[in-house]
Amino acid sequence: MDQVLTEKRELLLKLRKASEIGGGDARIKKQHEQNKYTARERIDRLVDPGSFLEFDRFVISKGSTLSKESFLGDGVVTGIATINGQKVALYSQDFTVMGGSLGAAHAKKICKIMDFALENRIPIIGINDSGGARIQEGVEALAGYGEIFYRNVKCSGVIPQISLIMGPCAGGAVYSPALTDFIFMVDKTSYMFVTGPDVIKTVTHEDVTKDQLGGAGTHAEKSGVAQFKCTNEDECFERVRELLAYIPSANYTKNPVKYTSDPVYRDNNKIKETVPANPKKPYDMKEVIFDIVDDGEFLEVHKDYAKNIIVGFASIGGIKIGIVANQPAVLAGVLDIDSSEKAARFVRFCDAFDMPILTLVDVPGFLPGTVQEYGGIIKHGSKLLYAYCEATVPLISVTTRKSYGGAYLVMASKHIRTDVNLAYPTAEIAVMGAEGAINIIYRHELEGLTGKAFEDKKAELIAKYEHEFANPYRAAELGFMDAVILPEETRRRVYEYLVALKSKKQEKPKRKHGNIQL
Ligand code: HXC
């Protein structure tokens, strides 16, 4: 081979090799010692084998040249790949290069791959492991974050955006993941906060560790910032692949049917006995979900946060859906600030990406008390109402048991345009539960009674109220419930309605955007 040609080929191979090693062996060793993979190892473990096509591996930081010692790639690996055969774009910050800090060139690479994802309508996945804005690059680093934030918002509702936090993510840097649809965090090795423990100590004199302040547990359980908490990085990649198997590549893009061998027309025998008639008796709504969906597979989102409501993805007869369900086993399934926000955000995701929503209703109302009122349950509760009212995707609800008052309206009622409302014979649709109601409407009949006479009268009035109101038939008479079904019929009936609603089209009046209570 021609000498010049050989040298040119060798230079390319040498540069390729140099770009593979990031910040060098010592820093890679340190990364591994902290139970963290490197940026490239993460991509390899996440995507389909051999599918990664890298962009910009020879980009270097501002002011450097290829001939001087510089880190090829500028601390971030970007490219496209497939996951479960579905195309995705991704970036992975390399902590071994200047702590994965974000400078102008690093930011430009991220922006380029985000633009690619948006123009090609494929999901964007960001793997975050960074010391934040690169201090040496000053305002140019800040400008880089601004460009990313702008793109996050531009992509919102057009392509799914997924953030994996696999190391530090601090200061203003947290706002890029915060603008995305799903945040995954790894227990013990990742953290997110706006100001770190040292600043907090100075300003408020509080002592708090990094993990207590912004670890995976904190954000998955307390703040609700993270939707998924994983025990290690491998579990995190598995969960991301699972999530991508449910959601479409972009809005207005067909979501392929999920393969299942689970017969649609099987009876839901397990849940026949699950839902008790007594409205005060707790039961686990997840048992109902597992029995209805294909193969008992349900990917729960926000599993550890606001557990009184359940949200997540599943399929029925292969049709991929979002599920929102009150959880009577936690706080009686009451709606409060956190559960309203959690469900509202999920409903909006499903609506933006054309995923039908199945709502399972068993709700006693909104949580009373000063904590809730002072915290703004009025505005937070309205978010869920707004999200359902705004949704134009197929909406199906199944009321398993109680559904009272304002919460009845909010939880996908007919009045806010749910397409199909189903109820079990145990459903009770009323302004409030029997105990509360008789104390108001039969106050005079109970006045002056004591002891056994009072108890007997009360029992008689409760029975009267339950006979009249605590059933699904009043609502069915008025067409507010389209059908009363047996629990064992749930799977087949929901599937049939999902098929019937496949080509649903609902027009909304033209407007720039609504003004959801934020
Ligand atoms: C440049 C940085 C850096 C940064 C870390 N490094 N952060 N270089 N800019 N922001 C470099 C270190 O110099 C070091 O280089 C290497 O990364 C690894 O850092 P270590 O400190 O050795 O690692 P560790 O002990 O694990 O600590 C990690 C860390 C710490 C907690 C992230 O490095 C740290 O506190 N960094 C500063 C974080 C910060 O304040 N960032 C700005 C946040 S404000 P060598 O050469 O030794 O390997 C922000 C604003 C964004 O980001 C605003 C958006 C609007």
Side-chain angles (χ1 to χ4, degrees):
M1 194 184 289
D2 176 281
Q3 178 65 21
V4 179
L5 189 57
T6 306
E7 281 171 12
K8 282 184 187 286
R9 287 172 61 90
E10 277 173 1
L11 175 64
L12 172 63
L13 297 179
K14 198 174 127 207
L15 287 171
R16 268 194 194 166
K17 199 145 189 235
S19 70
E20 305 262 306
I21 57 158
D25 291 340
R27 292 189 184 96
I28 291 174
K29 189 163 169 269
K30 193 173 163 197
Q31 182 87 346
H32 287 160
E33 280 165 3
Q34 293 174 342
N35 289 327
K36 289 162 68 181
Y37 290 121
T38 64
R40 284 176 191 280
E41 287 167 346
R42 285 168 176 158
I43 292 174
D44 283 350
R45 279 167 169 76
L46 175 62
V47 307
D48 296 340
S51 68
F52 183 56
L53 292 175
E54 188 171 347
F55 287 10
D56 295 333
R57 65 193 298 164
F58 300 145
V59 163
I60 46 177
S61 54
K62 218 169 164 265
S64 305
T65 61
L66 270 182
S67 52
K68 276 204 320 198
E69 207 221 317
S70 55
F71 295 107
L72 296 183
D74 202 34
V76 63
V77 183
T78 62
I80 53 170
T82 62
I83 294 179
N84 314 319
Q86 178 187 356
K87 284 196 189 72
V88 296
L90 62 165
Y91 69 86
S92 178
Q93 292 181 310
D94 186 349
F95 193 81
T96 70
V97 174
M98 292 175 274
S101 60
L102 182 137
H106 179 124
K108 232 172 152 181
K109 279 182 71 172
I110 294 177
C111 290
K112 185 169 165 182
I113 206 68
M114 290 178 82
D115 291 341
F116 185 98
L118 183 61
E119 279 165 22
N120 290 282
R121 298 294 192 267
I122 56 175
I124 175 86
I125 301 170
I127 304 179
N128 296 259
D129 187 1
S130 165
R134 191 171 299 158
I135 297 162
Q136 303 87 314
E137 296 199 29
V139 70
E140 279 196 85
L142 299 182
Y145 273 118
E147 290 293 331
I148 295 168
F149 299 163
Y150 180 80
R151 282 168 175 80
N152 284 133
V153 175
K154 198 170 162 191
C155 292
S156 185
V158 183
I159 53 171
Q161 302 183 81
I162 299 171
S163 300
L164 280 60
I165 314 297
M166 300 202 142
C169 183
V174 296
Y175 288 111
S176 173
L179 292 167
T180 64
D181 299 303
F182 299 102
I183 296 182
F184 291 73
M185 291 187 75
V186 182
D187 206 16
K188 306 282 181 279
T189 54
S190 70
Y191 51 90
M192 295 176 80
F193 39 70
V194 174
T195 49
D198 295 344
V199 177
I200 290 181
K201 176 85 183 154
T202 314
V203 178
T204 68
H205 309 295
E206 282 173 286
D207 272 316
V208 65
T209 65
K210 272 197 293 203
D211 198 53
Q212 287 167 337
L213 184 63
T218 298
H219 288 310
E221 291 151 30
K222 289 195 173 84
S223 72
V225 165
Q227 280 80 6
F228 296 92
K229 177 181 93 170
C230 307
T231 47
N232 55 47
E233 295 193 7
D234 285 307
E235 189 205 325
C236 195
F237 302 138
E238 193 52 48
R239 288 283 94 74
V240 172
R241 283 195 290 266
E242 218 178 307
L243 171 64
L244 284 166
Y246 285 109
I247 62 180
S249 293
N251 64 345
Y252 303 121
T253 304
K254 203 170 153 34
N255 202 357
V257 166
K258 195 166 187 285
Y259 171 77
T260 179
S261 56
D262 193 354
V264 164
Y265 289 95
R266 67 172 161 80
D267 278 355
N268 298 119
N269 285 322
K270 274 192 218 147
I271 54 172
K272 255 193 202 169
E273 309 282 325
T274 307
V275 184
N278 178 352
K280 288 190 184 147
K281 206 168 164 202
Y283 64 95
D284 188 355
M285 186 65 98
K286 282 189 204 169
E287 282 180 26
V288 177
I289 296 174
F290 291 138
D291 197 18
I292 297 174
V293 300
D294 293 341
D295 308 296
E297 285 174 9
F298 174 58
L299 177 64
E300 192 171 353
V301 176
H302 258 148
K303 188 173 168 192
D304 302 310
Y305 180 70
K307 293 181 186 174
N308 39 331
I309 206 154
I310 305 164
V311 301
F313 298 106
S315 65
I316 294 184
I319 302 173
K320 297 166 186 171
I321 57 169
I323 295 180
V324 178
N326 304 116
Q327 172 55 294
V330 179
L331 294 171
V334 76
L335 283 178
D336 58 5
I337 291 171
D338 293 347
S339 60
S340 301
E341 278 198 327
K342 166 176 161 178
R345 185 149 170 81
F346 184 77
V347 166
R348 297 194 98 215
F349 176 87
C350 292
D351 188 48
F353 291 99
D354 281 325
M355 294 188 73
I357 302 167
L358 170 65
T359 306
L360 301 174
V361 185
D362 191 340
V363 63
F366 282 96
L367 183 62
T370 50
V371 172
Q372 291 290 310
E373 295 293 349
Y374 296 170
I377 183 66
I378 297 174
K379 64 181 178 187
H380 298 295
S382 81
K383 291 176 191 175
L384 183 55
L385 182 55
Y386 195 109
Y388 270 122
C389 289
E390 190 184 42
T392 57
V393 289
L395 298 172
I396 299 171
S397 83
V398 179
T399 302
T400 59
R401 208 176 41 174
K402 60 196 175 305
S403 185
Y404 298 151
Y408 154 69
L409 293 171
V410 171
M411 290 302 299
S413 66
K414 179 64 73 199
H415 322 287
I416 59 173
R417 304 299 181 267
T418 291
D419 301 290
V420 178
N421 297 83
L422 306 172
Y424 288 172
T426 41
E428 298 181 6
I429 294 112
V431 174
M432 62 176 77
E435 288 265 353
I438 61 154
N439 284 332
I440 298 168
I441 54 176
Y442 299 124
R443 190 185 306 153
H444 299 303
E445 294 183 41
L446 289 166
E447 249 166 25
L449 295 177
T450 52
K452 188 165 179 323
F454 175 80
E455 291 306 326
D456 287 351
K457 187 69 189 171
K458 195 174 155 190
E460 179 201 317
L461 293 173
I462 286 178
K464 187 176 165 196
Y465 179 88
E466 283 178 350
H467 178 72
E468 214 168 324
F469 296 107
N471 62 66
Y473 300 106
R474 267 293 179 91
E477 281 166 22
L478 295 163
F480 301 157
M481 287 293 154
D482 298 291
V484 181
I485 63 167
L486 293 168
E488 59 266 37
E489 298 166 341
T490 313
R491 178 172 162 83
R492 70 180 63 182
R493 295 297 286 267
V494 171
Y495 172 75
E496 283 164 351
Y497 286 119
L498 283 170
V499 172
L501 289 163
K502 246 182 184 163
S503 40
K504 177 184 174 185
K505 282 254 172 312
Q506 199 183 79
E507 300 299 328
K508 294 275 169 181
K510 191 169 181 286
R511 63 180 166 189
K512 194 167 176 195
H513 58 72
N515 193 11
I516 190 168
Q517 179 71 258
L518 293 173

